[in-house]
Amino acid sequence: MLYLIGMGLHDERDLSLKAVEALRGCERVYLESYTSCFNGDINRLQEMLGKEVVLLDRKDLEENPEENVLAGGEVGLIVMGDPMVATTHSDLVLRAREKGAEVKVIHSSSVYSAIAETGLQIYKFGRTTTIAYPEGDYFPKSPYEALKENHMRGLHTLLLLDVKADEGRYMTVNEGIKYLLMMEESCLQNQFKKDSKCVGVARLGGDTAIRYGTAEEVIKEEFGGPPHILIVPGKMHYMEEEMLKAYEV
Amino acid sequence: MLYLIGMGLHDERDLSLKAVEALRGCERVYLESYTSCFNGDINRLQEMLGKEVVLLDRKDLEENPEENVLAGGEVGLIVMGDPMVATTHSDLVLRAREKGAEVKVIHSSSVYSAIAETGLQIYKFGRTTTIAYPEGDYFPKSPYEALKENHMRGLHTLLLLDVKADEGRYMTVNEGIKYLLMMEESCLQNQFKKDSKCVGVARLGGDTAIRYGTAEEVIKEEFGGPPHILIVPGKMHYMEEEMLKAYEV
């Protein structure tokens, strides 16, 4: 049996009782932390579970899963947030099924629902997108397209920010705003300008920081450590505006 | 302090360690179960927390929160899924702030990310919508509109199904499909027909049942107890199709 277990948003105390129970029964436990950012303490996690927790990087999991999580037996793979959200883990499920192994998912908290803490209503979010770090000539404008499509329908946009955990790089709200403004300069379709409203969010589910204002205002704020996300609201209900007032810069 | 605490998807074992810790420190604990469906056991929950858990219905919480959750002190309100997803709870936060009370949200698993267990990729979902029970002349076609908008962009649609917990009514996948087919008959825009593919899901995070097929096929399936949800996929990646094969009827 392969258990895919959500760690939740922030640290080891975001594990559910169900997750802890399953992990205690596992022969081997792994932690995948390259698709997001673990703000907990691996020693505390090991003590809590009473067993070793082996850290896996992208290569271990994508190229050699047969040597670790797919090597058989009762295995637990802990993943930040809710486990099936990263496409990497779909691939793992398919590989496990091919080998005839059973897979069980134990869910946990995720940014996809936790963004409702800002007061923005979740059924008014359109498609989610990710801002990637530009590399050389590579600077995908797809987030700008998603923003435009969502705006046309009055919907909010959740913009996830690039994580390169192996290089210790986690995109900040400030960088995210900078890249969106650069996309505006290149696409010129009035989707995100200095006076556009946005919500910067850091460490949801931990020592959460939420700041609401214009791009020009929010880009000057200090958000502290990762993970960060950025939201560009669409048309707002008065109750959403009321909720956001508490976070105005 | 008012703690808004996510119960998670299924039962009391979906509470996080952080949630249990906070609840044990509360003077009074309430459980709101009218916006979703609690599949756990309230006695086991009370034993686990070592205190009484008072059930609240819609009226208690929307009309008289000053008599319970807003009456002051260290209070925990447990909510199914992730707590801020229901708009009711935004209202509660605003009322608490008006009274000068601090509010802390403790997140948990939610259908908004857990749908990734089907293999459908979460960043390809458009706006979520809810199918409401028709009542007399009231039969809102907004889910059909959302479906159409999402289809035009190739996106998947999550359709939440009406919950009337006070009447013990929880819309089933089968009813959801029936209502969508009725909307098609009335709107005639080729968005959902008998041969349209859909994914029926019951009790995500519990004894999950997932069935994939045409509307005509899935409507004949027996899904068991609530909660149910329905997904209408948009354009699929081959890996999404591969994942869904395991659930074909």
Side-chain angles (χ1 to χ4, degrees):
Chain A
M1 173 77 88
L2 169 60
Y3 290 95
L4 288 174
I5 294 181
M7 171 77 88
L9 285 161
H10 194 71
D11 64 24
E12 64 278 357
R13 295 183 310 134
D14 288 311
L15 285 168
S16 67
L17 301 172
K18 204 176 269 180
V20 172
E21 197 181 303
L23 287 165
R24 286 193 176 140
C26 283
E27 294 160 42
R28 302 192 311 285
V29 174
Y30 301 94
L31 170 63
E32 181 277 272
S33 64
Y34 69 86
T35 52
S36 185
C37 160
F38 176 46
N39 274 314
D41 181 322
I42 192 152
N43 293 321
R44 277 203 309 262
L45 176 62
Q46 294 186 122
E47 260 173 50
M48 191 172 85
L49 300 178
K51 62 186 68 183
E52 195 196 2
V53 175
V54 178
L55 277 172
L56 294 182
D57 63 21
R58 185 181 292 270
K59 206 175 151 190
D60 295 326
L61 204 59
E62 291 188 351
E63 295 172 24
N64 309 311
E66 279 76 10
E67 293 171 19
N68 42 67
V69 295
L70 298 184
E74 296 282 299
V75 178
L77 173 64
I78 311 176
V79 175
M80 290 308 299
D82 197 14
M84 295 296 294
V85 162
T87 49
T88 295
H89 308 129
S90 281
D91 186 55
L92 207 59
V93 170
L94 291 175
R95 292 205 203 193
R97 282 184 190 157
E98 257 174 47
K99 291 175 79 84
E102 263 194 278
V103 180
K104 191 164 165 52
V105 178
I106 298 184
H107 295 282
S108 191
S109 50
S110 160
V111 66
Y112 280 90
S113 59
I115 44 171
E117 186 174 339
T118 59
L120 290 168
Q121 292 167 3
I122 200 156
Y123 65 92
K124 288 172 61 188
F125 276 81
R127 181 159 67 96
T128 297
T129 183
T130 301
I131 304 182
Y133 277 116
E135 291 193 41
D137 288 344
Y138 175 78
F139 182 41
K141 310 290 191 305
S142 48
Y144 192 85
E145 283 309 308
L147 195 63
K148 188 181 162 190
E149 282 176 29
N150 289 337
H151 271 170
M152 282 169 61
R153 297 162 68 195
L155 302 176
H156 311 320
T157 306
L158 166 60
L159 298 119
L160 303 176
L161 303 174
D162 205 355
V163 168
K164 294 203 181 297
D166 48 336
E167 303 169 21
R169 290 169 82 198
Y170 300 90
M171 191 182 289
T172 62
V173 166
N174 321 71
E175 291 173 305
I177 293 174
K178 183 183 78 182
Y179 292 132
L180 275 187
L181 290 171
M182 282 166 64
M183 291 179 207
E184 177 64 50
E185 274 180 41
S186 136
C187 303
L188 293 169
Q189 295 187 50
N190 289 319
Q191 296 302 317
F192 192 80
K193 304 173 43 164
K194 282 183 180 171
D195 61 352
S196 297
K197 293 289 176 85
C198 60
V199 187
V201 184
R203 299 173 307 286
L204 257 179
D207 57 325
T208 311
I210 304 178
R211 301 277 184 276
Y212 171 59
T214 63
E216 202 169 22
E217 288 163 346
V218 177
I219 203 171
K220 289 178 196 147
E221 295 288 306
E222 172 54 63
F223 286 87
H228 291 189
I229 55 165
L230 182 62
I231 301 170
V232 180
K235 210 176 154 205
M236 283 193 272
H237 184 263
Y238 77 91
M239 206 195 271
E240 295 178 293
E241 285 179 355
E242 199 60 32
M243 284 288 289
L244 282 172
K245 269 188 192 154
Y247 309 118
E248 261 170 355
V249 298
Chain B
M1 174 77 88
L2 169 60
Y3 290 95
L4 288 173
I5 294 181
M7 171 77 87
L9 285 161
H10 194 71
D11 64 23
E12 64 279 356
R13 295 182 311 134
D14 288 311
L15 285 169
S16 68
L17 301 173
K18 205 176 266 180
V20 172
E21 197 181 305
L23 286 165
R24 286 191 178 141
C26 283
E27 294 159 43
R28 302 192 312 284
V29 174
Y30 301 94
L31 169 63
E32 181 278 273
S33 64
Y34 68 86
T35 51
S36 186
C37 160
F38 176 46
N39 274 315
D41 180 321
I42 192 152
N43 293 320
R44 278 203 308 263
L45 176 62
Q46 295 187 122
E47 258 172 51
M48 190 172 86
L49 301 177
K51 62 186 68 184
E52 195 196 1
V53 175
V54 178
L55 277 171
L56 294 182
D57 62 21
R58 184 181 294 270
K59 205 175 152 191
D60 295 326
L61 204 59
E62 291 189 351
E63 295 173 23
N64 309 310
E66 279 77 12
E67 293 171 19
N68 42 66
V69 295
L70 299 183
E74 296 282 298
V75 178
L77 173 62
I78 311 175
V79 175
M80 291 308 300
D82 197 14
M84 295 298 292
V85 162
T87 49
T88 296
H89 307 129
S90 280
D91 186 56
L92 207 59
V93 170
L94 292 175
R95 291 206 205 192
R97 283 183 189 159
E98 255 173 47
K99 291 174 79 85
E102 263 194 277
V103 179
K104 190 164 167 50
V105 178
I106 298 184
H107 295 282
S108 191
S109 50
S110 161
V111 66
Y112 280 89
S113 59
I115 45 171
E117 186 173 339
T118 58
L120 289 168
Q121 291 166 5
I122 200 157
Y123 66 92
K124 287 172 62 189
F125 276 81
R127 180 159 67 96
T128 297
T129 184
T130 301
I131 304 183
Y133 278 117
E135 293 194 40
D137 288 343
Y138 175 77
F139 182 40
K141 310 290 191 302
S142 48
Y144 192 86
E145 283 309 308
L147 196 63
K148 188 181 162 189
E149 283 176 29
N150 289 337
H151 271 171
M152 283 169 60
R153 297 161 68 196
L155 302 175
H156 312 320
T157 306
L158 165 60
L159 297 120
L160 303 177
L161 303 174
D162 205 354
V163 168
K164 293 204 181 298
D166 47 337
E167 302 168 22
R169 291 169 82 197
Y170 300 90
M171 191 182 288
T172 62
V173 165
N174 321 69
E175 291 173 305
I177 294 175
K178 182 182 79 180
Y179 292 132
L180 276 187
L181 291 171
M182 283 167 62
M183 291 179 208
E184 177 64 51
E185 274 180 42
S186 135
C187 303
L188 294 169
Q189 294 186 50
N190 289 320
Q191 297 302 316
F192 192 80
K193 303 170 47 163
K194 281 183 180 171
D195 61 351
S196 297
K197 292 288 176 89
C198 59
V199 187
V201 184
R203 298 172 309 284
L204 257 179
D207 56 325
T208 310
I210 304 178
R211 302 279 183 276
Y212 171 58
T214 63
E216 204 169 21
E217 289 164 346
V218 176
I219 203 171
K220 289 178 197 147
E221 295 287 305
E222 172 55 61
F223 285 88
H228 291 190
I229 55 165
L230 182 61
I231 302 170
V232 180
K235 211 177 154 202
M236 283 193 274
H237 184 264
Y238 78 91
M239 205 195 270
E240 295 178 293
E241 284 178 356
E242 198 60 32
M243 284 288 289
L244 281 173
K245 269 188 192 155
Y247 310 118
E248 262 172 353
V249 297

